[in-house]
């Protein structure tokens, strides 16, 4: 769609963002921990920034190690741009597609400036988080609203709150898992443990009414019904700090399955639609090493959907539904 299109409609894809160099790791982490939608502190206005500086400084070296192992930067922007390009092709002149990353560039301010310059009057806010949480979709929506206020820009917007049950999205997961199983030495579901690993959150977030865990469980249940495989397990990764997080933890499940005799395992990153450090390094390297050490001979991480045709079809359907509401 050109800037002069009479439709003047847009789809804004929200995503987390990631550092584009090792030098960007610490400031990326600072942006993350400075977000009160992620960690809300008492007297947050006074404590949030000092807290973010302290934690980002302490965690930068460890985080940089993961990014160095996957090429020195996050692939999330490239993957998101590929998804945006495929969605633009699917929508054609129906709407202009742009992206807004939450914690690294291009951020909401850049997306808002682009939309305002193009004369966009209606926008669908489409998170690349199928499962709603205030820490992801909620935070991105708040950030976009702040950017609009700062730019004195007031489009009509429709937020896609969640889409964990979208049929094409679920079908894409099922197709990916079936293809991955067929490539294993023993393509028998009965010989394979399947771990659905979701990004964890502190239990206190759930206690505050966040629906994330319920949404993850619904996706897991739907995929398991369609697959009909006998050995699925839902688990959670990426915990940090001393708080109790959603359980069971992925590394604990790997150890338990190995101790019970598992020798073939598939891992699907059920909370993610784009590969990034948590799929490529945490699941693909750190937990792969753990699995081998525990005696699991064949451990495979199924890629996230990325620009899988089923995902693009899901995004196009969601965008069109949102455009009808915006």
């Amino acid at each position: 769609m050109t800037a002069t299109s009479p439709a003047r409609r847009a789809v804004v894809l929200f995503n987390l963002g990631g550092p584009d160099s090792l030098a960007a790791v610490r400031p990326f982490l600072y942006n993350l921990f400075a977000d009160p939608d992620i960690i809300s502190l008492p007297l947050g206005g006074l404590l949030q920034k000092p807290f973010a500086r302290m934690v980002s400084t302490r965690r930068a070296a460890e985080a940089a190690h993961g990014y160095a192992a996957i090429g020195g930067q996050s692939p999330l922007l490239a993957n998101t741009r590929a998804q945006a390009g495929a969605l633009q092709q699917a929508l054609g002149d129906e709407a202009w597609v742009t992206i807004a990353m939450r914690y690294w560039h291009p951020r909401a301010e850049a997306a808002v400036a682009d939309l305002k310059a193009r004369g966009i009057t209606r926008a669908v806010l489409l998170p690349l988080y199928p499962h709603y949480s205030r820490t992801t979709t909620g935070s991105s929506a708040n950030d976009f609203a702040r950017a609009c206020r700062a730019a004195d820009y007031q489009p009509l917007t429709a937020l896609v709150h969640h889409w964990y049950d979208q049929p094409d999205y679920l079908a894409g997961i099922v197709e990916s898992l079936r293809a991955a199983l067929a490539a294993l030495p023993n393509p028998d579901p009965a010989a394979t443990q399947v771990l659905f690993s979701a990004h964890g959150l502190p239990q206190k977030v759930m206690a505050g009414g966040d629906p994330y865990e319920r949404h993850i469980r619904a996706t897991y249940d739907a995929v398991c019904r369609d697959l009909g495989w006998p050995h699925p397990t839902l688990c959670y990764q990426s915990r940090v700090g001393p708080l109790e997080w959603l359980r069971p933890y992925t590394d604990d499940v790997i150890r338990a399955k190995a101790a019970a005799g598992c020798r073939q395992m598939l891992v699907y990153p059920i909370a993610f639609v784009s590969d990034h450090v948590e799929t490529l390094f945490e699941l693909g390297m750190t937990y792969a090493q753990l699995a081998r050490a525990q005696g699991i001979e064949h451990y495979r991480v199924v890629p996230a959907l990325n620009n899988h045709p089923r995902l693009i079809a899901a995004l196009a359907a969601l965008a069109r539904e949102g455009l009808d509401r915006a």
Side-chain angles (χ1 to χ4, degrees):
M1 189 178 90
T2 67
T4 57
S5 170
R8 294 190 176 180
R9 304 189 301 177
V11 177
V12 183
L13 294 180
F14 288 158
N15 213 337
L16 186 81
D20 50 17
S21 69
L22 295 181
V25 170
R26 192 197 61 77
F28 163 77
L29 291 175
Y30 173 84
N31 291 340
L32 178 71
F33 290 109
D35 180 3
D37 289 321
I38 295 286
I39 298 175
S40 181
L41 298 174
L43 302 176
L46 297 174
L47 299 181
Q48 199 82 41
K49 290 183 178 180
F51 170 81
R53 281 194 294 270
M54 178 188 69
V55 176
S56 61
T57 299
R58 287 182 177 178
R59 297 200 60 210
E62 179 183 356
H65 172 71
Y67 288 107
I70 61 170
Q73 62 179 344
S74 172
L76 197 58
L77 178 58
N79 288 335
T80 304
R81 282 178 168 158
Q83 290 163 333
L87 178 59
Q88 184 70 79
Q89 186 172 8
L91 294 177
D93 286 342
E94 293 179 63
W96 172 253
V97 179
T98 191
I99 63 178
M101 297 299 203
R102 181 62 186 91
Y103 302 114
W104 204 244
H105 311 294
R107 300 190 63 182
E109 294 88 345
V112 166
D114 177 48
L115 298 183
K116 186 175 181 179
R118 291 177 180 276
I120 299 295
T121 58
R122 298 165 62 194
V124 176
L125 309 180
L126 177 51
L128 291 173
Y129 320 112
H131 316 87
Y132 181 87
S133 173
R134 67 172 175 82
T135 64
T136 53
T137 297
S139 178
S140 289
N142 289 340
D143 192 45
F144 186 83
R146 286 191 294 268
C148 286
R149 288 194 296 271
D152 192 24
Y153 174 58
Q154 299 169 340
L156 297 174
T157 61
L159 172 66
V160 180
H161 186 270
H162 58 260
W163 48 279
Y164 60 87
D165 54 354
Q166 207 283 337
D168 280 306
Y169 163 63
L170 296 174
I173 297 175
V174 170
E175 290 176 10
S176 295
L177 279 162
R178 286 177 174 157
L181 179 68
L184 287 176
N186 183 353
D188 181 1
T192 308
Q193 293 288 334
V194 183
L195 272 56
F196 292 87
S197 186
H199 193 289
L201 284 176
Q203 287 282 6
K204 72 173 187 178
V205 176
M206 302 304 105
D210 197 286
Y212 174 78
E213 182 182 17
R214 176 165 50 84
H215 289 181
I216 289 287
R217 172 65 66 173
T219 296
Y220 169 78
D221 288 343
V223 170
C224 289
R225 282 194 301 269
D226 287 345
L227 286 173
W229 293 356
H231 304 303
T233 303
L234 178 60
C235 47
Y236 296 89
Q237 66 184 91
S238 307
R239 72 187 185 276
V240 294
L243 295 176
E244 179 74 8
W245 282 46
L246 291 172
R247 286 181 180 266
Y249 301 144
T250 301
D251 52 344
D252 289 346
V253 171
I254 291 171
R255 292 186 186 94
K257 297 294 186 184
C262 170
R263 295 298 176 263
Q264 183 167 273
M265 178 177 286
L266 282 178
V267 181
Y268 187 82
I270 193 169
F272 307 113
V273 298
S274 309
D275 278 315
H276 62 305
V277 71
E278 287 163 312
T279 65
L280 301 176
F281 177 70
E282 185 177 11
L283 294 180
M285 297 182 186
T286 302
Y287 288 172
Q289 184 178 17
L290 171 64
R292 287 192 297 269
Q294 297 293 314
I296 298 175
E297 297 169 2
H298 304 289
Y299 171 95
R300 300 286 188 276
V301 179
V302 183
L305 291 178
N306 294 312
N307 60 348
H308 190 292
R310 287 284 198 175
L311 177 64
I312 303 308
L315 295 177
L318 292 162
R320 290 184 174 113
E321 291 169 9
L323 288 168
D324 289 339
R325 294 189 289 115

